[in-house]
Amino acid sequence: MPTFTALTTIEGKPAAEKLGAAMENLIPEPTGVGVFEVEDGSGLWEVGGYFTENPDETALTLLATALGAKQFVISELPETDWVAHVRRELAPVAAGRFFVYGSHDADKVPENAEPLLIEAAMAFGTGHHGTTLGCLRALDRLIGEGFEGKNVVDIGCGTAVLAMAAARIWPNSVLASDIDEVAVEVARSNVKANGLEGRVICVEAAGFAQPDLLAASPFDLVFANILKGPLIGLAPDMAKNIQSGGFAILSGILNEQADDVLEVYARTGFNLVHREEIVDWTTLTLSRTQ
């Protein structure tokens, strides 16, 4: 299946977030939209989307013009085995008992750490971003407090690093889902590389709407490292699919968005257990009380 990208830059976070939100309403709709600061001090933000159909160039031009962005650059990605060919040599990351590393740093894994080998670059979740790091720290904190996950799912799993972290600690299999087929392929490759085949089950799904997830519900721990909008949209389903006393670890939330997310989840029966800010990003640990 062909994959198309549409990328542009724009000044300022508010404008970038507005443009990213507007892209979600395009037809054909993107399978994913990303908004990232260009970390060169320029004040520019990159906004991009992935599409399985050729995006509407006219609609993108109108959006860019209306919001003051540069014109979108549209590209078709070649049919490439990204899992085999795309690698990032990133420095290892320690997050509590977890140690995320690439094969080039295999000799640096501490003796008592829970190792998580992550190589592929075509999905989020290497531990280097404040969202993934925050989720790993939140998991480490729950483990330290004596929580034992018996039925765990990672929604929007990216590389599946969070699902694999849970599988390193607890004996039961962990589900991992993502809406993007490339991410699912990457996740399965990472699971195999970590020797966790059969322990982490990766599926393509939007939210909880997938037979394996529905059959396994209710969960006692749900990871969702996605974005504010999808997290808010998932709140009612979170309440339905997390058992009373269970936990949700949520991230992909800018610091200034965290209160909005908390307010919505409070209305659906969740209490705040812990909140951590790492640079611009907040990770929330919530418990379901109803």
Side-chain angles (χ1 to χ4, degrees):
M1 179 183 296
T3 300
F4 298 87
T5 62
L7 300 171
T8 188
T9 55
I10 190 170
E11 289 189 10
K13 183 193 296 186
E17 291 178 344
K18 186 175 181 179
L19 179 55
M23 287 183 69
E24 298 278 5
N25 297 318
L26 289 171
I27 298 175
E29 62 182 322
T31 60
V33 173
V35 178
F36 304 99
E37 185 176 9
V38 179
E39 296 181 349
D40 60 359
S42 66
L44 290 176
W45 287 65
E46 184 177 71
V47 180
Y50 283 90
F51 298 79
T52 55
E53 300 177 56
N54 204 339
D56 185 335
E57 187 171 356
T58 301
L60 288 169
T61 298
L62 289 173
L63 277 181
T65 301
L67 295 176
K70 290 187 177 181
Q71 292 302 304
F72 280 89
V73 175
I74 299 172
S75 304
E76 181 177 357
L77 299 180
E79 294 288 342
T80 304
D81 182 358
W82 293 109
V83 174
H85 294 290
V86 182
R87 302 287 185 238
R88 281 184 291 191
E89 291 198 355
L90 296 172
V93 172
R97 71 199 68 208
F98 301 105
F99 189 82
V100 186
Y101 71 101
S103 59
H104 55 286
D105 282 320
D107 60 337
K108 297 178 182 177
V109 178
E111 184 177 347
N112 296 322
E114 295 291 347
L116 296 165
L117 172 62
I118 300 292
E119 302 257 47
M122 285 305 293
F124 297 108
T126 63
H128 295 77
H129 197 273
T131 58
T132 308
L133 179 59
C135 289
L136 288 170
R137 287 182 179 175
L139 173 60
D140 183 70
R141 191 176 302 110
L142 283 180
I143 296 165
E145 293 170 354
F147 172 74
E148 182 179 352
K150 297 178 180 178
N151 193 14
V152 180
V153 65
D154 181 3
I155 302 291
C157 66
T159 60
V161 64
L162 302 177
M164 292 192 299
R168 285 281 188 216
I169 300 299
W170 299 309
N172 296 333
S173 62
V174 177
L175 284 166
S177 70
D178 201 286
I179 196 172
D180 181 68
E181 65 177 348
V182 175
V184 175
E185 183 183 0
V186 169
R188 288 172 178 159
S189 177
N190 286 330
V191 168
K192 183 177 180 180
N194 282 270
L196 292 170
E197 289 177 289
R199 299 286 319 289
V200 178
I201 312 301
C202 304
V203 298
E204 187 175 345
F208 293 90
Q210 198 274 345
D212 292 327
L213 274 64
L214 293 173
S217 178
F219 300 93
D220 56 9
L221 174 60
V222 174
F223 297 103
N225 181 13
I226 40 180
L227 293 170
K228 173 192 171 183
L231 282 175
I232 288 176
L234 271 176
D237 281 346
M238 284 279 193
K240 293 175 184 175
N241 289 283
I242 297 179
Q243 66 190 44
S244 180
F247 294 93
I249 295 176
L250 311 180
S251 199
I253 309 163
L254 291 165
N255 295 335
E256 59 268 28
Q257 298 173 339
D259 287 341
D260 292 339
V261 175
L262 278 172
E263 181 182 352
V264 171
Y265 276 78
R267 292 201 301 265
T268 55
F270 289 88
N271 284 340
L272 177 64
V273 175
H274 192 271
R275 174 175 181 164
E276 181 177 13
E277 294 184 0
I278 301 177
V279 191
D280 294 328
W281 300 93
T282 294
T283 298
L284 303 173
T285 303
L286 309 177
S287 65
R288 181 172 173 266
T289 56
Q290 297 178 6

